[in-house]
Amino acid sequence: MTEAETAGDHDEAHQGALGTRLNWLRAAVLGANDGIVSTAGLVVGVAGATDDRSALLTAGLAGLLAGSMSMAAGEYVSVSTQRDSEKAALAQERRELREEPEAELEELSGLLEDRGLSAEVAREAAQQLTDRDALRAHARVELGIDPDELANPWHAAGASFLAFTAGALLPLLAIVLPPSSVRLYVTVTSVLAALALTGWGSARLGSAPVRAAVLRNMGGGAVAMGVTYLAGSLLGAAGV
């Protein structure tokens, strides 16, 4: 394999690893953001109906546990489906390599040629990759899958659980720790500050405009807290 091809494979591996890390970071930021908004809406809504600390703590903990478990379960199911699809694709590729090796070699050569290699170099590279590890070559070039790094549903579920919990702890602590006279102010202020931070983080990770993302994130959180506080206040006034 030529030096240029080796460098290309090296760059591709680094880009894939970087993409995976960015996806994990983005998921963590979004998970924390969900924890902040959902728990803040819950505890602020309860605060609109009562200033009893134990009621606020109970509601906040219930929301934290329900939300984090729901996020973890949803992520586990989603990534399990992805992993099953990856394994099925690899099984099909393994079968095709066994039954039609020449056709698969031509296919790999064509894929490499589509990436900018000349026909001769693409054919040579395809042959060398096939001789080294045909399944791995087709998995990476054709399917975009690393056979050694299939999606792990347990890792995804754990990461979602931790991210949501980390985000949910902020409004929970902000509503139960301060004195009753300032707890609502402290909660709203800290939640908006945290949403500004997660909005900034998600924008930077996604290479999107920061200002719009921050304002959108803060605005959504403010509306959520406002609606739930109003609902709690009305229910509290009605004696429900």
Side-chain angles (χ1 to χ4, degrees):
M1 184 176 296
T2 66
E3 182 178 349
E5 292 170 65
T6 303
D9 288 344
H10 184 71
D11 291 342
E12 182 180 341
H14 277 287
Q15 289 169 3
L18 178 59
T20 299
R21 287 197 295 270
L22 288 177
N23 285 337
W24 277 103
L25 286 171
R26 188 176 295 111
V29 170
L30 294 177
N33 192 80
D34 286 344
I36 294 169
V37 174
S38 61
T39 307
L42 177 61
V43 297
V44 167
V46 175
T50 178
D51 61 356
D52 182 70
R53 192 186 302 270
S54 63
L56 294 170
L57 178 60
T58 300
L61 281 175
L64 184 155
L65 291 173
S68 59
M69 293 301 295
S70 175
M71 287 282 291
E75 197 69 13
Y76 179 83
V77 171
S78 174
V79 177
S80 292
T81 301
Q82 178 186 340
R83 184 182 178 89
D84 290 342
S85 298
E86 291 174 344
K87 292 172 71 173
L90 289 173
Q92 179 179 347
E93 197 63 38
R94 189 179 292 108
R95 182 172 59 254
E96 291 174 352
L97 285 168
R98 183 176 60 252
E99 297 174 355
E100 301 177 324
E102 285 301 320
E104 288 299 297
L105 178 61
E106 290 296 330
E107 182 181 31
L108 181 59
S109 178
L111 290 170
L112 292 174
E113 191 173 347
D114 291 341
R115 294 190 175 192
L117 299 180
S118 66
E120 295 78 9
V121 174
R123 176 72 183 193
E124 179 186 353
Q127 186 64 63
Q128 292 189 26
L129 289 170
T130 298
D131 292 341
R132 182 183 303 172
D133 191 329
L135 180 61
R136 185 183 303 277
H138 279 268
R140 289 181 171 176
V141 178
E142 181 182 348
L143 304 176
I145 298 173
D146 186 341
D148 295 327
E149 296 185 7
L150 298 182
N152 189 314
W154 289 108
H155 288 172
S160 294
F161 180 90
L162 292 175
F164 187 96
T165 299
L169 282 173
L170 174 70
L172 174 59
L173 295 176
I175 202 74
V176 299
L177 293 182
S180 59
S181 58
V182 297
R183 64 169 50 124
L184 191 60
Y185 172 80
V186 171
T187 301
V188 171
T189 301
S190 60
V191 164
L192 292 179
L195 290 177
L197 181 61
T198 56
W200 174 86
S202 62
R204 292 299 299 271
L205 289 171
S207 300
V210 172
R211 178 182 175 84
V214 169
L215 292 178
R216 184 168 55 242
N217 218 31
M218 294 177 66
V223 169
M225 289 186 289
V227 169
T228 55
Y229 182 78
L230 177 61
S233 298
L234 292 175
L235 290 172
V240 177

